[in-house]
Amino acid sequence: MITLTVELGARSYPIVIGSGLLGSSGLLDPYVVGRDVLIVTNELVAPLYLDPLQQLLGDCRVNTVTLPDGESTKTLETVNQVFDALVAHGYGRDCILLTLGGGVVGDIGGFAAASYQRGVDFIQVPTTLLAQVDSAVGGKTGVNHPGGKNLIGAFHQPRCVLSDTDSLKTLADRELSAGLAEVVKYGLIADAELISWLESEADAVLQRDPDHLHHVVRRCCEIKAAIVAADEREQGQRALLNLGHTFGHAIERCAGYGEWLHGEAVAAGIMMATTFSERLGRIEAADTKRVRDLLAKLRLPVDPPQVDPREFLAAMSLDKKVVAGEIRLVLLDALGSASVTADYPSHELVDLLSAQFIR
Ligand code: NAD
Ligand code: GLY
């Protein structure tokens, strides 16, 4: 077991990573003893991990909201179900929420915690690779709007993140790969060594060797903790964590939420951002090939779905990084280094989309 810290002054918190954490009694005592606890989970995760989590909570008053599964449930209506439970059980400001599940449950439960009585404590207990390496850390919470992905939300940091890497054993293969898209992202923006390591260790990672999964979660959390500590509210370098996401969110929207997994859309989006970086002369063709080969090796899509380029551009324009009508993109300067920029000829983006979508 290792503990990293997200350094945010009085709001600093630990990320605990290890095998068997859900069986380690006493781990949550500092946060939950004497408090009302609401576990937010879903119908797929509850039968797997709700019992062990409840065992960790001793004599606390514990209630549970079990949501339906899936990205399509990431709505204000679902958040309202969490509010209904909090109100029905008479929970006050001193209650604490525990989100048990993947990024969808974490984003919904976190947003409920950010808003209930203007903000209550919460703990993330992520059970997907994507959530352990990314979404459970950093305090972004929220839901989708019919007009765009994650358009409604709040920054609200958890009190603690508890990542039991054993929970990754039950994850579907496709979900494991989706999480690996975010891992590739961390390598591309900040750690060339992680890219080389993934190239040589892909098979062991896909076979879920425990040491390899531990390494992946640890390294990504180290990178994310440093970035969030430096730029909690995404005024600068935190935007690098969106590599591939402007393209990826447009893929999710154009394909229909839930058709593509978020991580799959990010993978194809990373490929588009990489191809665009090469097109602008920022990286070499050999770099693009390495990224394509790695994503394919990790069983991720490398091409976007075929949609109208104009529809795609319109979807990209809804991105939260758009400033004064300019689509700011995260582009690579090398494998392991990236920048956020709107400094590219707009016709180049139109040409890229035409080339990607008309074959
Ligand atoms: P998800 O939450 O839908 O989980 C994927 C699937 O795995 C679901 O069916 C889930 O029920 C199931 N599952 C969860 N844990 C399991 C386990 N241990 N064993 C078996 N099945 C399990 O998807 P995700 O990929 O975890 O997260 C994607 C979401 O995260 C998207 O909505 C995305 O926008 C969001 N996200 C948020 C941030 C952030 O910073 N807040 C960052 C990245 C992504
Ligand atoms: N996943 C992007 C961020 O947390 O900023």
Side-chain angles (χ1 to χ4, degrees):
M1 175 176 117
I2 56 141
T3 302
L4 308 172
T5 305
V6 182
E7 302 283 0
L8 288 168
R11 290 175 299 109
S12 297
Y13 58 92
I15 308 169
V16 187
I17 303 166
S19 155
L21 298 186
L22 283 170
S24 305
S25 58
L27 214 53
L28 289 177
D29 285 1
Y31 307 99
V32 301
V33 168
R35 299 174 79 172
D36 288 340
V37 179
L38 185 77
I39 300 175
V40 181
T41 186
N42 78 19
E43 61 196 7
L44 201 151
V45 176
L48 298 168
Y49 302 111
L50 185 55
D51 273 355
L53 182 60
Q54 282 174 329
Q55 300 291 321
L56 288 188
L57 299 173
D59 295 332
C60 302
R61 182 161 78 115
V62 183
N63 284 285
T64 301
V65 181
T66 304
L67 303 172
D69 188 27
E71 178 73 29
S72 61
T73 68
K74 213 173 109 172
T75 62
L76 278 178
E77 288 72 26
T78 311
V79 176
N80 216 24
Q81 276 179 251
V82 182
F83 293 148
D84 287 347
L86 288 162
V87 173
H89 296 301
Y91 278 21
R93 245 189 188 162
D94 55 349
C95 73
I96 182 160
L97 273 66
L98 266 61
T99 62
L100 173 70
V104 168
V105 162
D107 281 8
I108 294 169
F111 186 50
S115 338
Y116 185 63
Q117 301 205 4
R118 300 197 180 87
V120 298
D121 285 348
F122 82 116
I123 290 175
Q124 294 267 24
V125 187
T127 60
T128 63
L129 181 62
L130 186 139
Q132 293 190 359
V133 299
D134 198 352
S135 66
V137 176
K140 280 190 182 176
T141 72
V143 294
N144 302 327
H145 182 276
K149 172 104 178 139
N150 295 335
L151 286 187
I152 318 293
F155 285 99
H156 187 55
Q157 300 293 343
R159 294 291 313 280
C160 168
V161 180
L162 195 70
S163 289
D164 187 336
T165 47
D166 286 351
S167 66
L168 305 179
K169 287 178 187 163
T170 52
L171 207 55
D173 288 343
R174 194 177 161 199
E175 298 291 354
L176 184 80
S177 288
L180 289 169
E182 302 282 8
V183 178
V184 172
K185 171 190 85 177
Y186 283 105
L188 289 175
I189 62 170
D191 188 356
E193 257 180 46
L194 180 58
I195 294 295
S196 306
W197 183 86
L198 284 168
E199 286 171 333
S200 66
E201 304 301 315
D203 289 341
V205 173
L206 287 170
Q207 282 158 19
R208 306 177 200 217
D209 171 71
D211 291 341
H212 282 71
L213 290 179
H214 191 275
H215 176 74
V216 157
V217 175
R218 177 191 185 139
R219 187 66 201 115
C220 293
C221 287
E222 282 170 352
I223 296 169
K224 184 152 188 183
I227 290 177
V228 170
D231 179 24
E232 182 185 8
R233 296 272 169 151
E234 200 169 306
Q235 302 300 302
Q237 65 163 292
R238 184 165 180 171
L240 295 176
L241 292 169
N242 294 317
L243 174 68
H245 284 60
T246 305
F247 294 107
H249 286 167
I251 290 172
E252 282 184 89
R253 181 174 161 75
C254 292
Y257 292 122
E259 289 301 313
W260 281 56
L261 298 182
H262 175 72
E264 292 172 341
V266 166
I270 285 174
M271 207 54 243
M272 292 179 81
T274 303
T275 307
F276 196 40
S277 303
E278 182 197 333
R279 195 181 181 100
L280 296 175
R282 302 168 72 103
I283 58 169
E284 304 292 326
D287 296 325
T288 309
K289 182 174 180 326
R290 274 182 75 187
V291 177
R292 181 174 278 271
D293 289 349
L294 178 59
L295 292 170
K297 202 169 184 180
L298 297 172
R299 301 182 190 144
L300 285 160
V302 288
D303 292 312
Q306 293 302 294
V307 295
D308 183 334
R310 282 163 302 187
E311 187 195 336
F312 197 87
L313 191 59
M316 287 181 72
S317 306
L318 284 168
D319 190 81
K320 290 187 287 305
K321 285 188 302 309
V322 172
V323 177
E326 283 187 323
I327 302 179
R328 292 187 307 142
L329 292 170
V330 184
L331 297 176
L332 297 179
D333 304 313
L335 302 195
S337 169
S339 319
V340 184
T341 181
D343 189 16
Y344 55 84
S346 55
H347 71 84
E348 287 286 358
L349 181 58
V350 173
D351 290 352
L352 172 88
L353 297 184
S354 303
Q356 292 270 317
F357 292 116
I358 299 168
R359 285 168 207 289

